[in-house]
Amino acid sequence: MTLTPPLRARAEEQAASLPPLLARAEHLAGTVLLGEHGRRRAGMGDDFWQYRPVQPGDSRRMIDWRRSARGDAQYVREREWQIAQSVMLWVDQAASMRFASHNDLPEKADRARLLALAVAILLVRGGERVGLTGTLLPPRRGNNQILRLAEFLALDEPADYGVPEARAMIPQARAVFLSDFMGDIDAVRQALTKAADRGVRGILLQVLDPSEEAFPFQGRTIFESVGGTVSHETLKAGELRDRYLQRLERRKADLAGLCAVTGWQFHTHHTSDSAQVSLLWLWHALNRGTV
């Protein structure tokens, strides 16, 4: 198949952005200490975990005679129990995410992709399987999976607002959805309900530009969606501020309520804030057993 010049140029531009994005994600992931991944316990596994004294009910073949020979007590050699889990990512790639209110700020899409890749790197290093929701990239381990994930995340979507993808959710897996969640909330409700029905718990990370929280507009203003399908002109933008902020708070409350009902967690990140802080929050949320 031959790519048309505009499509070829766009594909080359996206491919060129992969190494810097991966480098930034690797650097960001490197700021987080993996520790012991929060799941170490005794059981079936190949890695040594600890010695413990023999307890009633232990069979003689469980005893480590070499370690026991060093003293009067008898010890059992316990191995680490590890079950790799699957973590499904959905990163909003719609037009609304390609917004930044200032040249010094990243686009929401850039920050969402960075956080998604960084948490994926940490998960893969911890032995987990990571993939995308839907059927395009099933969860797998390894650095090659990170490269494939970066390639998929580099693609933009033409729609103004993203719709969460909840197909092919693996039962009992975990999930992380990153978006501004400015679109149809019914789509979010359906996705979380479907996930909860399959025993999937996860995180909604809302990524917002600081101007979307402050609404610093006054006088004559033309509001236009990034995709260009919605436009509204007003001579008194300041009069819209209170109504806008009330609707934003209602949206956040609705998202938090959905998470409470389905066993998910909700958090808001602003592109003016440190990416490291939100990555740490994501990492701890995934590892403290509540997701």
Side-chain angles (χ1 to χ4, degrees):
M1 180 179 70
T2 302
L3 294 176
T4 61
L7 181 57
R8 180 185 295 277
R10 185 166 175 266
E12 291 175 350
E13 180 182 355
Q14 290 169 343
S17 70
L18 287 182
L21 177 61
L22 279 172
R24 288 163 52 215
E26 287 276 3
H27 176 75
L28 182 59
T31 65
V32 177
L33 295 176
L34 284 176
E36 296 301 325
H37 203 261
R39 297 192 336 278
R40 296 176 70 91
R41 52 183 278 195
M44 297 301 295
D46 296 325
D47 298 327
F48 168 72
W49 182 36
Q50 68 175 8
Y51 290 111
R52 65 164 175 80
V54 170
Q55 299 174 352
D58 291 337
S59 65
R60 289 181 59 82
R61 55 194 178 87
M62 294 174 63
I63 298 174
D64 189 290
W65 296 106
R66 179 175 297 180
R67 172 64 181 85
S68 301
R70 299 178 191 173
D72 296 330
Q74 294 180 332
Y75 290 89
V76 169
R77 179 186 178 95
E78 290 189 325
R79 292 177 294 180
E80 183 180 353
W81 177 82
Q82 284 189 318
I83 297 179
Q85 299 191 45
S86 294
V87 181
M88 316 287 290
L89 302 175
W90 174 72
V91 182
D92 190 346
Q93 295 161 273
S96 70
M97 296 294 288
R98 299 192 288 276
F99 172 71
S101 61
H102 195 278
N103 291 336
D104 293 337
L105 293 172
E107 293 181 356
K108 293 183 288 183
D110 179 79
R111 182 56 58 84
R113 288 164 176 163
L114 177 64
L115 289 171
L117 270 182
V119 79
I121 290 169
L122 290 173
L123 288 165
V124 166
R125 288 178 180 173
E128 308 283 30
R129 294 184 294 263
V130 182
L132 295 174
T133 57
T135 59
L136 292 178
L137 190 64
R140 293 188 180 90
R141 297 191 188 97
N143 290 330
N144 286 338
Q145 182 74 347
I146 297 298
L147 293 175
R148 288 191 291 267
L149 182 62
E151 291 173 357
F152 278 107
L153 293 183
L155 302 174
D156 291 328
E157 295 179 357
D160 258 334
Y161 300 101
V163 176
E165 170 65 86
R167 291 179 303 162
M169 296 288 278
I170 299 174
Q172 309 305 318
R174 293 174 295 169
V176 180
F177 288 4
L178 299 95
S179 171
D180 56 12
F181 297 108
M182 292 290 196
D184 182 10
I185 195 169
D186 285 339
V188 182
R189 182 178 292 106
Q190 291 172 10
L192 263 63
T193 301
K194 184 180 294 185
D197 288 343
R198 299 182 69 83
V200 177
R201 292 187 296 174
I203 296 168
L204 293 187
L205 184 66
Q206 184 182 42
V207 181
L208 295 178
D209 184 277
S211 70
E212 293 174 320
E213 289 274 15
F215 199 84
F217 308 105
Q218 296 290 335
R220 181 177 182 272
T221 306
I222 299 176
F223 297 100
E224 188 174 60
S225 64
V226 178
T229 61
V230 179
S231 181
H232 176 73
E233 180 178 357
T234 179
L235 297 177
K236 299 178 180 180
E239 295 183 357
L240 300 176
R241 185 173 188 273
D242 288 344
R243 279 184 288 167
Y244 167 82
L245 293 179
Q246 289 172 4
R247 291 188 66 177
L248 179 61
E249 286 306 308
R250 282 202 302 271
R251 174 55 59 95
K252 288 184 177 182
D254 288 343
L255 292 169
L258 284 175
C259 288
V261 169
T262 56
W264 284 46
Q265 294 188 69
F266 175 71
H267 187 68
T268 299
H269 169 76
H270 303 116
T271 56
S272 57
D273 294 339
S274 165
Q276 181 182 2
V277 171
S278 281
L279 178 61
L280 282 168
W281 185 90
L282 279 171
W283 184 241
H284 291 154
L286 284 167
N287 277 309
R288 60 175 167 251
T290 55
V291 173

